[in-house]
Amino acid sequence: PSREPLPFSQQVEQGSKKAKFSDSIRWALITAAFASQGVPLIRLLDLSNENWAEELAVFSKLASFRECYSDLIQQPSFDAPRDLRWHGVDALAEPKWEMPPPAPLELPVGSPLEEPLACQVGELRYIGMSFWSESKLDAVYAGFNGNDTDVLVTLPEPQLGHRWVVVLDSGRLELSLTNESTAASPEYLMKPKSSILLVMQRP
């Protein structure tokens, strides 16, 4: 049997959600490109049709970031030794690389397992990494939130007299469009499906 089409308002809502999801994936890939070894290749097609001028300014800032911190990111060979650290939602713990055991099909009402299982899902969909110089006075942090909800992330402890500064937050692009430095708090709230690039600097 043929299915009736959704009301126009619902079609618009679904289209908007798909567009936001697609945009989030796009920025996650862009963030990964600028935090990876090799040469980032960005096409004009990667710019948004509606906000291309603003996004071009963000790309310019990312290019400057890459040039300044190339000694941390770019290595002579892929397996060259370097101080690369992996982080979960809590910076002191590694990401949840393995899936948890399957939950029971039905949990009793008020079961103490409900909340821990929800926390595990949130932690599974977040991954962070940081690069550190030999002196530990320069560092770069990249984080990716794959959750459909906000996630409060604990950042690595910066060196004494330093702080984490936002280069890119795909959930708050306006932070990358200002000439002023935006400090990241030790506990940083990441928007759904967003990615961030931070650098450690002196105030």
Side-chain angles (χ1 to χ4, degrees):
S2 60
R3 301 174 63 181
E4 295 185 2
L6 292 173
F8 180 73
S9 59
Q10 292 186 23
Q11 292 183 34
V12 172
E13 182 179 357
Q14 286 192 358
S16 177
K17 288 181 179 179
K18 288 181 180 179
K20 288 181 179 179
F21 179 78
S22 176
D23 201 50
S24 300
I25 297 298
R26 179 172 65 94
W27 276 109
L29 293 172
I30 291 169
T31 303
F34 278 93
S36 301
Q37 293 202 72
V39 180
L41 297 178
I42 305 298
R43 309 169 302 167
L44 287 177
L45 291 175
D46 295 322
L47 295 172
S48 167
N49 292 330
E50 298 178 356
N51 305 313
W52 65 268
E54 291 183 353
E55 292 193 359
L56 191 59
V58 175
F59 283 141
S60 177
K61 191 170 185 176
L62 288 173
S64 298
F65 149 79
R66 178 65 185 232
E67 184 177 2
C68 290
Y69 292 90
S70 61
D71 58 326
L72 288 182
I73 301 171
Q74 190 68 36
Q75 298 294 314
S77 62
F78 184 79
D79 56 353
R82 57 176 172 169
D83 191 352
L84 168 62
R85 309 175 189 179
W86 296 101
H87 308 283
V89 171
D90 181 351
L92 297 178
E94 285 203 354
K96 301 291 185 182
W97 300 111
E98 298 180 0
M99 292 292 292
L105 295 178
E106 293 185 5
L107 292 175
V109 177
S111 169
L113 289 175
E114 290 179 337
E115 185 175 346
L117 286 173
C119 293
Q120 285 181 338
V121 171
E123 293 175 355
L124 277 171
R125 295 176 180 169
Y126 181 82
I127 185 171
M129 61 181 180
S130 60
F131 309 93
W132 298 75
S133 65
E134 291 186 9
S135 66
K136 313 303 182 195
L137 296 179
D138 293 295
V140 172
Y141 179 91
F144 304 87
N145 178 20
N147 294 280
D148 295 322
T149 58
D150 293 348
V151 169
L152 189 63
V153 177
T154 302
L155 300 177
E157 184 74 22
Q159 286 288 0
L160 185 65
H162 291 69
R163 62 178 182 174
W164 290 108
V165 174
V166 178
V167 176
L168 170 69
D169 182 341
S170 66
R172 307 178 184 88
L173 279 184
E174 64 275 6
L175 299 181
S176 300
L177 296 172
T178 175
N179 293 325
E180 299 180 1
S181 297
T182 302
S185 59
E187 291 187 335
Y188 193 83
L189 185 65
M190 290 189 64
K191 296 292 185 180
K193 302 292 186 183
S194 66
S195 52
I196 58 173
L197 270 179
L198 312 175
V199 295
M200 190 177 69
Q201 295 179 346
R202 288 185 176 273

